Amino acid sequence: MTGQGIGASVPRKEDDRYMRGRGQYVGDIRRPGMLEVAFVRSPLAHARLRAIHVPEALTGRVYTMDDLDGVNAIRATSTLPGYKPTDQWPLARGKVRQVGELVAMCVAPTRAEAEDVAAQIELDLEELPAVVDMLAARRSGAPLVHEAFGDNIYLVSSFDGDIESAAARADVKVTREIRTARQCMLPIEGRGVVAEWNARLDQLTVWSSAQMPHIVRTGLSEVLNLRQAQVRVIPPDVGGGFGYKGILLPEEVCLSWLAMRLGRPVRWLEDRREHLTANANCREHHYKITGYATRDGRLLAVEAEAHVDSGAYSSYPFSACLEAGQVTSILPGVYDFEAYRARAYAVATNKPPILPYRGVGRTGVCFAMELLIDALAREIGMEPHEFRRRNLVRPDQMPFENITKKYFDSGDYPEALRRAVEALDVDAWRRRQAQGESDGRRIGVGISMYCEQAAHGTSVYAAWGVPMIPGFEQAALRITPDGGLEIRVGTHSHGQSHETTFAQVAHEVLGIALEKIHLVHGDTALTPYSTGTWGSRAMVMAGGAIAAACTELVPRLLGIGAHLLQQSASAVRLDGDRVVGPEGSVSIADIARVWYLAPQDLPLDADAHGLEVTAGYKLERDTGTFSYAAHAVALAVDTDTGLVEILDYVIVEDGGTLVNPMVVDGQIYGGVAQGVGTALYEEMPFDSHGQPLASTLSDYMIPGPTEVPAVRILHMETPSPLSAFGIKGIGEGGAIAPPAAIANAINDALAPLGVEMTESPVSPHRIFNAIRAARDETAA
């Protein structure tokens, strides 16, 4: 290691411009003659759209779906058995199915003027009964979100194992009903779109705050009936995404059509109210889950029925089936047990579509499974971490195919647990818990564990039959005439530090200094096709492609370098950024100068492919890598107010070979902050008419600096045998485990009072009400 390659905690290259305010986001883009757009959105959750009244004076400034001739509905497809797709029109047609659904598009020189136009539009809506609760949506006679369905089910996913014999041998059976709240993602930068039509090039250019630009291009070309060469998507700097910016937006379709219609650039920037009430919902699950165990702490079987509130539409490419389709396969987590049965329903309701959010599906699954594990341990009378230890997949079983055929590539789950228990010093907290607190608060200790399938590839998504099946990830590399390196990849960063970490991978192979490596990413006109940045895949897949391309450049450099040194190619080697022979060396910069500027000095048999290469990469087994972690927390609960204070928080994580440990820490810190929000604060409630009840950040609570603990992170590195350099995906992990660990700690604190919390967020009012109910029951 030279201090800049894999394993080095080098400062982020991106930070120089970010910290100086020189980043460029969609909101910074100005085009000559640009107009601004505001949308008229439905005020009702479910209604027939009878008419849209536009004042005559506003003709030419307001557009409805009737104006969008030739524009198709957005349709997310899948070949999963029984899946029902939806037609989501960019602007409402016939019916509205959620509060905030786009109905009309208004254009003006400024956003304020466009909003003034929108305020003059009158909607004639015939209100229909709304279905808001996912369990009620399955009942006979429930209002139908999509009449063509015949019910309110997008998809039923199941794993039909035989659990009867294992259940019959169980000494202990525990059943819990567990629910997670709807949330919003809240990246600092909301969505934004600028669209412009270039008549000379016959091309649409869309600047969008997007994680998956090539997928957006595909979606736009399909909906707008354009050839893909006619669509260019450019994401500038993206101020956070977390999955929220990984879909095709109706707003992108509308602005693209408008730019072509008017021949002028147009822009829409999402405001926070639009974000909260209409666009950014996620993570609403319900579980009825049962665990069977022996008295000595052996987990025998698990069965579960899960519901995912998928909202009014399936967003392109496939959001409605994403979480329910995963739940049944990932629920077993890190545990080895013999029998399993599960069924999951993706349910349609009159709420915004559920979108992928950091840890997609796994946060809810981890919450359900880890709360069940603690409940079983309490029923047996065993320390929860000991119960876990007895049921974890062991390192000697690796690689391990679990009960749902997930292929765990490597790891030592018991060691991660042991280190977390030791670092938190659970025994010391137990002594303090027994002594009691002078202020009357109750101490609790909680643990949760998870594994995260990352960088899963073709075989996994081909089985889903969705519009974005990842194949070979590609990287295009060019050594520049001055000996620098240009890297072009189709993934795009929304906080993952790609400009730094991808350069570290290239440096590891070629030795070129980081300051001489330049990354071009995301722009569909300049980069190889990619499904984008999602699923903790970019470092594994794009990093692997960069390494493969660099490796292809090495023999070309050696061939030219050997000629300049008057040596045979077998007598030289690449050392740092120089080709070194027995009696001298030549730099990559010298080699590049000869190739580009002095080709007369090249060997006669020089490789005609030169110093540019495009290489593809796939994992040896494309079912993905499995990172994992153990989270351990100690906290205090005030039983008079329901307030929770986190006193200590330890994470032991294993992301395989860490490219940049400092960046990994940053990813985990950010994920934990989001996980704390999920655990204690964040909730998007709806009333019985489908009206969102948290439309501003004074209603929707998120943790601030005083609520996020000073997390202690301990790294383990078990290299994956499947990937280049042993790298595993780790971008989502920090957000998966905190809700379960924190809820388990709260339940540990409140167990003597007969209180058990099974719904997130575990907010002060829920804790207070549960304690009061337990006291009333005891008094009665």
Side-chain angles (χ1 to χ4, degrees):
M1 193 180 74
T2 64
Q4 290 192 327
I6 290 175
S9 292
V10 299
R12 299 195 333 152
K13 297 178 67 174
E14 299 89 331
D15 286 342
D16 182 68
R17 72 174 184 277
Y18 289 150
M19 300 300 288
R20 299 175 191 273
R22 295 174 183 164
Q24 185 186 57
Y25 301 88
V26 173
D28 297 315
I29 295 173
R30 301 286 191 276
R31 304 296 297 167
M34 187 170 72
L35 300 173
E36 299 278 351
V37 168
F39 288 98
V40 177
R41 294 178 179 269
S42 172
L44 299 178
H46 199 195
R48 299 198 191 283
L49 179 57
R50 295 193 293 206
I52 304 170
H53 299 296
V54 180
E56 189 173 339
L58 298 179
T59 301
R61 301 177 68 183
V62 180
Y63 300 90
T64 69
M65 195 61 223
D66 288 342
D67 297 306
L68 272 61
D69 291 334
V71 175
N72 302 316
I74 300 169
R75 172 169 275 227
T77 58
S78 171
T79 58
L80 288 172
Y83 170 72
K84 300 168 191 166
T86 59
D87 284 335
Q88 182 182 11
W89 294 100
L91 297 171
R93 170 175 284 176
K95 239 174 81 159
V96 293
R97 294 179 172 86
Q98 65 162 99
V99 169
E101 183 167 352
L102 303 183
V103 178
M105 174 171 49
C106 305
V107 62
T110 68
R111 174 63 177 258
E113 291 174 278
E115 290 182 355
D116 288 343
V117 172
Q120 299 177 62
I121 310 305
E122 294 183 4
L123 304 181
D124 184 356
L125 297 170
E126 176 192 348
E127 187 167 9
L128 300 171
V131 59
V132 178
D133 181 77
M134 57 184 145
L135 301 183
R138 286 194 58 208
R139 295 175 191 151
S140 176
L144 296 180
V145 180
H146 298 276
E147 286 85 353
F149 281 17
D151 56 24
N152 286 315
I153 304 298
Y154 289 102
L155 177 74
V156 180
S157 174
S158 61
F159 188 92
D160 297 316
D162 178 8
I163 69 164
E164 278 69 23
S165 60
R169 302 198 313 274
D171 304 311
V172 175
K173 173 186 176 182
V174 167
T175 299
R176 291 292 183 270
E177 194 167 342
I178 293 168
R179 185 184 283 265
T180 64
R182 267 198 174 225
Q183 290 183 241
C184 293
M185 287 80 152
L186 289 172
I188 292 176
E189 179 207 27
R191 291 170 173 168
V193 183
V194 172
E196 182 176 33
W197 178 257
N198 188 314
R200 184 181 70 83
L201 297 177
D202 193 32
Q203 186 179 63
L204 172 71
T205 301
V206 178
W207 291 266
S208 181
S209 184
Q211 299 174 215
M212 299 155 62
H214 290 269
I215 298 300
V216 171
R217 181 178 71 165
T218 299
L220 285 174
S221 69
E222 292 174 0
V223 175
L224 297 171
N225 296 306
L226 295 172
R227 300 188 312 277
Q228 293 218 15
Q230 290 180 285
V231 182
R232 179 184 183 184
V233 176
I234 307 171
D237 288 325
V238 176
F242 314 125
Y244 175 53
K245 298 173 181 176
I247 66 167
L248 175 65
L249 311 181
E251 293 90 346
E252 287 169 329
V253 175
C254 290
L255 267 76
S256 296
W257 176 87
L258 186 61
M260 292 189 290
R261 170 71 173 260
L262 300 180
R264 294 179 65 177
V266 291
R267 181 176 70 172
W268 166 76
L269 298 176
E270 178 186 67
D271 65 32
R272 193 57 69 181
R273 184 179 176 85
E274 288 178 301
H275 177 87
L276 288 169
T277 60
N279 289 344
N281 283 197
C282 62
R283 277 191 183 163
E284 187 173 7
H285 293 198
H286 177 277
Y287 298 86
K288 186 173 182 181
I289 185 169
T290 300
Y292 301 87
T294 61
R295 184 62 61 184
D296 63 353
R298 181 64 184 166
L299 180 63
L300 298 177
V302 173
E303 62 177 329
E305 182 178 78
H307 291 78
V308 176
D309 189 326
S310 295
Y313 297 101
S314 185
S315 295
Y316 183 94
F318 65 118
S319 73
C321 65
L322 178 57
E323 301 213 1
Q326 287 189 100
V327 162
T328 55
S329 65
I330 65 176
L331 186 63
V334 292
Y335 302 106
D336 179 15
F337 51 92
E338 64 183 81
Y340 175 60
R341 178 189 298 152
R343 180 160 294 193
Y345 298 85
V347 184
T349 62
N350 292 116
K351 291 188 282 191
I354 191 170
L355 301 181
Y357 182 36
R358 194 175 195 172
V360 186
R362 286 180 174 79
T363 304
V365 162
C366 179
F367 191 72
M369 189 68 181
E370 292 297 296
L371 263 61
L372 176 69
I373 292 293
D374 264 40
L376 285 165
R378 280 194 299 274
E379 184 70 19
I380 293 170
M382 182 177 290
E383 181 70 59
H385 66 77
E386 176 58 24
F387 186 91
R388 283 178 174 80
R389 186 191 66 78
R390 297 185 184 196
N391 293 285
L392 289 171
V393 176
R394 303 185 311 274
D396 60 275
Q397 295 174 280
M398 294 291 183
F400 178 76
E401 190 170 78
N402 82 343
I403 198 165
T404 62
K405 307 303 181 183
K406 294 293 183 184
Y407 184 83
F408 297 171
D409 54 331
S410 61
D412 191 339
Y413 301 167
E415 178 62 12
L417 175 63
R418 186 196 67 77
R419 293 189 191 187
V421 170
E422 179 181 70
L424 189 71
D425 199 348
V426 170
D427 290 342
W429 284 108
R430 290 295 183 215
R431 291 191 294 271
R432 179 170 167 178
Q433 187 181 52
Q435 292 170 359
E437 299 293 291
S438 60
D439 59 8
R441 295 190 301 172
R442 291 185 172 270
I443 297 295
V445 175
I447 291 171
S448 68
M449 296 188 69
Y450 72 90
C451 59
E452 177 191 3
Q453 185 178 9
H456 25 334
T458 305
S459 63
V460 176
Y461 281 86
W464 289 49
V466 296
M468 48 159 287
I469 299 172
F472 282 94
E473 192 72 22
Q474 291 187 308
L477 270 60
R478 174 194 296 153
I479 292 179
T480 60
D482 61 355
L485 181 68
E486 292 178 353
I487 300 173
R488 300 176 189 271
V489 291
T491 58
H492 191 72
S493 176
H494 49 276
Q496 292 86 352
S497 312
H498 289 170
E499 292 170 47
T500 303
T501 54
F502 287 173
Q504 288 182 257
V505 171
H507 174 84
E508 186 74 20
V509 181
L510 296 177
I512 297 173
L514 296 192
E515 59 269 21
K516 296 177 67 176
I517 299 176
H518 178 68
L519 177 69
V520 177
H521 54 161
D523 186 335
T524 59
L526 303 177
T527 62
Y529 179 86
S530 171
T531 54
T533 302
W534 53 272
S536 298
R537 70 184 297 274
M539 194 66 248
V540 176
M541 300 302 295
I546 291 165
C550 288
T551 301
E552 285 194 29
L553 283 173
V554 170
R556 304 182 193 181
L557 294 169
L558 293 178
I560 299 172
H563 175 74
L564 296 177
L565 292 170
Q566 299 183 13
Q567 298 286 335
S568 67
S570 61
V572 298
R573 70 184 190 282
L574 189 65
D575 189 350
D577 65 346
R578 303 185 72 82
V579 172
V580 178
E583 297 180 359
S585 66
V586 61
S587 69
I588 289 178
D590 290 334
I591 294 169
R593 181 188 58 78
V594 168
W595 173 262
Y596 291 106
L597 305 177
Q600 69 273 14
D601 293 335
L602 289 172
L604 295 177
D605 60 349
D607 189 330
H609 293 92
L611 301 183
E612 295 190 39
V613 64
T614 297
Y617 175 77
K618 258 186 162 185
L619 290 174
E620 292 182 14
R621 177 179 176 133
D622 72 355
T623 50
T625 63
F626 278 81
S627 55
Y628 60 94
H631 287 224
V633 60
L635 51 73
V637 181
D638 188 325
T639 56
D640 293 325
T641 64
L643 291 173
V644 172
E645 181 186 3
I646 297 175
L647 303 175
D648 196 10
Y649 202 114
V650 173
I651 299 173
V652 179
E653 65 79 25
D654 189 341
T657 301
L658 303 183
V659 175
N660 186 318
M662 182 176 65
V663 166
V664 170
D665 285 351
Q667 290 283 306
I668 294 172
Y669 288 138
V672 168
Q674 291 172 308
V676 170
T678 300
L680 297 175
Y681 303 105
E682 297 187 45
E683 182 173 14
M684 174 53 74
F686 289 78
D687 70 11
S688 59
H689 299 285
Q691 292 292 330
L693 301 179
S695 60
T696 72
L697 289 178
S698 62
D699 304 309
Y700 188 89
M701 303 301 294
I702 58 174
T706 58
E707 287 78 41
V708 178
V711 177
R712 294 186 285 136
I713 301 173
L714 286 70
H715 295 295
M716 293 172 56
E717 293 189 61
T718 309
S720 172
L722 306 178
S723 66
F725 303 110
I727 298 167
K728 301 178 182 179
I730 201 169
E732 300 172 83
I736 294 171
I742 291 168
N744 278 337
I746 292 170
N747 287 336
D748 183 59
L750 299 181
L753 304 180
V755 172
E756 184 177 358
M757 309 301 298
T758 57
E759 184 173 357
S760 71
V762 191
S763 56
H765 79 271
R766 283 200 172 100
I767 294 173
F768 178 82
N769 290 338
I771 292 172
R772 183 170 61 181
R775 286 172 175 167
D776 290 347
E777 184 177 343
T778 300

